[in-house]
Amino acid sequence: MELSDLRVFIQVVDSGGISAAAEKLHRVPSNVTARIKSLERKMGKQLFLRDKNRLRISPAGELLLPYAKRMLQMAQETLDAISDQAPSGELRVGAMEAVAATRLVEPLMRFHKNCPQVSLEIKTAPTGNLISQVLSGDIDVAFVADPQSDERLEQLAVFAEKLVIVSDLNYPKIQCAADLNTDTTFMGFNASCAYRNKLTQWAKDGGNYIKVIEINSYHTLLSCVAGGMGIGLVPLALLDNYPFAQSLQIHPISASWSDSVTHFIWRKDAFKPSIQAFAKCIEKNIF
């Protein structure tokens, strides 16, 4: 079994098709097709289900996928362990959108300057999604909010955040959940978002239930809040980068709900030099 065939297989899965994978791999589609067929012959299994112009991963392919990712990861770890060279290869970084917008600019610039040979890939997603992606090996590291302890993960506390409720300028003052209007709508990310879950729990503990409208962009969320569509819970630092902050009303809440710590996480069994180098670039910005 060729490692290069496994790389092609994983890229076809991630891209959803031969043509898209070929573009990512800088190969012609016929070469990608040939590598997949070669791997299928060696495995003795059909890895994709072909239906006209559609390609879907087969049950055998789904079984192979996590092993393929782990084999490639182990191969890279082996090269890193026996090499004296500087960090190289690819580092896939995940971050909450709020962190990407407020905290990562300086560390990313520092890392790119110190390790230009490392190819960075940045993805944004809510905390729950990011943790799942680190555990599955889809990304190498992530910045997440208040993660629970997990023996599979290393967790480094890096940024302290103060969360505040934001509303439009006409909303009554909010000091506790009892101050919420009965028809209040919460603007938030999906159910994997740590900040959304914190606000909904805060409201429920105060005897309130709030309707949630899911929005996947903080700038869109803040604009909807400013327009009077509802309230949100966001890091105070995020408002420094929002051009219409004067259109928002800020409501501080108790420290037990407002204090949040962003952690830098990675799998214990997937550590590599580029992760160590990236962690050093964050250290100057910690707290």
Side-chain angles (χ1 to χ4, degrees):
M1 191 185 304
E2 298 282 346
L3 291 178
S4 57
D5 287 347
L6 295 179
R7 290 191 182 92
V8 171
F9 165 69
I10 292 171
Q11 189 61 64
V12 171
V13 175
D14 290 344
S15 301
I18 296 293
S19 297
E23 185 175 350
K24 286 281 188 180
L25 294 167
H26 305 292
R27 297 169 181 256
V28 295
S30 59
N31 177 267
V32 173
T33 299
R35 301 305 290 267
I36 291 298
K37 289 183 177 179
S38 173
L39 184 59
E40 288 180 325
R41 286 194 299 271
K42 293 172 183 175
M43 298 293 297
K45 297 285 185 179
Q46 187 175 4
L47 301 177
F48 293 96
L49 302 177
R50 298 163 176 83
D51 181 15
K52 296 182 180 178
N53 294 326
R54 296 183 59 190
L55 200 67
R56 294 185 293 109
I57 191 169
S58 71
E62 290 179 347
L63 184 62
L64 172 63
L65 185 60
Y67 289 103
K69 290 180 177 180
R70 184 64 187 133
M71 282 188 278
L72 291 180
Q73 189 176 64
M74 290 181 67
Q76 185 61 53
E77 289 173 12
T78 301
L79 291 174
D80 291 339
I82 64 175
S83 174
D84 293 329
Q85 296 179 354
S88 60
E90 183 182 47
L91 183 65
R92 299 162 299 171
V93 180
M96 298 177 292
E97 184 174 312
V99 172
T102 60
R103 304 291 190 185
L104 287 192
V105 176
E106 288 187 15
L108 286 173
M109 290 175 61
R110 196 175 297 127
F111 181 80
H112 181 66
K113 180 179 179 181
N114 295 344
C115 305
Q117 65 275 36
V118 177
S119 174
L120 275 174
E121 180 180 341
I122 313 296
K123 297 181 178 181
T124 59
T127 284
N129 296 40
L130 292 171
I131 293 173
S132 296
Q133 289 175 40
V134 170
L135 289 172
S136 67
D138 291 327
I139 57 178
D140 300 305
V141 298
F143 294 88
V144 299
D146 306 313
Q148 294 183 351
S149 178
D150 189 315
E151 62 181 11
R152 296 168 293 179
L153 296 174
E154 290 286 359
Q155 302 181 0
L156 175 65
V158 288
F159 308 128
E161 300 289 0
K162 180 66 69 174
L163 306 180
V164 295
I165 292 177
V166 288
S167 72
D168 66 275
L169 297 176
N170 296 319
Y171 200 97
K173 289 291 184 182
I174 302 172
Q175 294 180 319
C176 63
D179 295 330
L180 294 176
N181 294 336
T182 55
D183 60 348
T184 295
T185 298
F186 172 42
M187 321 299 293
F189 282 48
N190 67 34
S192 295
C193 175
Y195 298 158
R196 164 181 165 169
N197 291 333
K198 182 168 284 198
L199 182 56
T200 54
Q201 190 59 54
W202 172 80
K204 289 177 182 178
D205 285 0
N208 284 284
Y209 173 77
I210 38 183
K211 174 186 174 183
V212 178
I213 294 179
E214 291 190 0
I215 297 176
N216 293 318
S217 162
Y218 271 113
H219 271 67
T220 302
L221 184 153
L222 292 173
S223 296
C224 290
V225 169
M229 292 178 59
I231 66 170
L233 184 72
V234 300
L236 185 60
L238 186 68
L239 301 180
D240 294 336
N241 299 312
Y242 181 60
F244 306 107
Q246 70 278 4
S247 302
L248 297 168
Q249 185 177 179
I250 297 173
H251 308 268
I253 53 178
S254 64
S256 60
W257 293 102
S258 66
D259 289 349
S260 177
V261 177
T262 299
H263 288 69
F264 181 59
I265 67 170
W266 65 90
R267 281 190 67 111
K268 291 179 179 178
D269 60 0
F271 190 73
K272 55 186 180 181
S274 56
I275 295 178
Q276 183 179 28
F278 196 83
K280 288 182 178 179
C281 290
I282 302 166
E283 288 177 355
K284 293 183 179 180
N285 295 78
I286 292 178
F287 292 94

